[in-house]
Amino acid sequence: MTEVDAGTWTTVADVAAALCLLLGAFLTFAAGVGVIRFPTLLDRMHVVTKPQVLGLLLLLLALALRVRSWSAVSMLVLVAVFQLATAPVAAHLVSRAGFRTGKVDEAVLRPNEMAGPQDAPDDADDEAGTDEADDAGPVATEHPGEPDHPGPSAPGRTLDDDPAGWPGDP
């Protein structure tokens, strides 16, 4: 078996670091250009979260390959973990705020083609005829400040179903 000297491993690590650095810089630059060029809020949010996070991870990997210090690498791992933990949360908050403030045009969104029968609207009458409970109007609650319908944690509801309505709705 042939021995490989430490200089060869150093050269390979430096070349890998250079490639990661260039690819990470390109992805981060592409994310910046996308923020300027993309027209809608959701497009911009997509370009900020996807390639920017991958670009940052590649830059951190390049730095870890080049520095080769355990204390520095452990700090870079922490930065990567916090970036991966916070980017999806921030994207969700931005999209939620966009929907609530009316900055998202829902006409350009595609419908959910993967929706199952449990996600379909309940427009059909039951087998016994018309459902009189639906026509009875709102049900009074014990507390007048509470909505008269189940919250997002009720069975059959998702977090995207906002029971309180959007701010500014009539």
Side-chain angles (χ1 to χ4, degrees), residues 68-137:
R68 298 182 196 104
S69 166
W70 284 109
S71 62
V73 170
S74 65
M75 190 63 65
L76 295 173
V77 167
L78 280 175
V79 170
V81 166
F82 284 124
Q83 179 69 26
L84 288 173
T86 58
V89 174
H92 178 76
L93 290 175
V94 168
S95 66
R96 221 26 211 200
F99 274 105
R100 287 180 181 245
T101 58
K103 302 292 183 197
V104 175
D105 182 16
E106 294 186 39
V108 299
L109 299 178
R110 285 195 265 166
N112 183 4
E113 296 171 353
M114 300 298 288
Q118 72 274 8
D119 297 329
D122 190 23
D123 292 337
D125 293 332
D126 58 2
E127 296 173 8
T130 61
D131 189 3
E132 295 176 9
D134 288 342
D135 299 331

Side-chain angles (χ1 to χ4, degrees), residues 4-168:
V4 179
D5 63 339
T8 303
W9 287 116
T10 302
T11 304
V12 169
D14 287 343
V15 168
L19 290 175
C20 287
L21 185 69
L22 289 173
L23 187 58
F26 173 74
L27 286 173
T28 304
F29 177 73
V33 170
V35 167
I36 295 170
R37 298 285 310 242
F38 283 5
T40 66
L41 172 75
L42 295 180
D43 292 337
R44 290 177 181 163
M45 183 187 63
H46 173 77
V47 78
V48 168
T49 55
K50 303 283 185 188
Q52 187 271 332
V53 170
L54 181 59
L56 177 68
L57 292 177
L58 286 170
L59 290 173
L60 293 174
L61 177 63
L63 191 57
L65 287 171
R66 186 71 181 116
V67 172
R68 298 182 196 104
S69 166
W70 284 109
S71 62
V73 170
S74 65
M75 190 63 65
L76 295 173
V77 167
L78 280 175
V79 170
V81 166
F82 284 124
Q83 179 69 26
L84 288 173
T86 58
V89 174
H92 178 76
L93 290 175
V94 168
S95 66
R96 221 26 211 200
F99 274 105
R100 287 180 181 245
T101 58
K103 302 292 183 197
V104 175
D105 182 16
E106 294 186 39
V108 299
L109 299 178
R110 285 195 265 166
N112 183 4
E113 296 171 353
M114 300 298 288
Q118 72 274 8
D119 297 329
D122 190 23
D123 292 337
D125 293 332
D126 58 2
E127 296 173 8
T130 61
D131 189 3
E132 295 176 9
D134 288 342
D135 299 331
V139 177
T141 60
E142 293 180 25
H143 305 288
E146 290 183 351
D148 58 320
H149 43 75
S153 61
R157 305 278 307 210
T158 65
L159 290 176
D160 292 331
D161 297 329
D162 191 352
W166 302 107

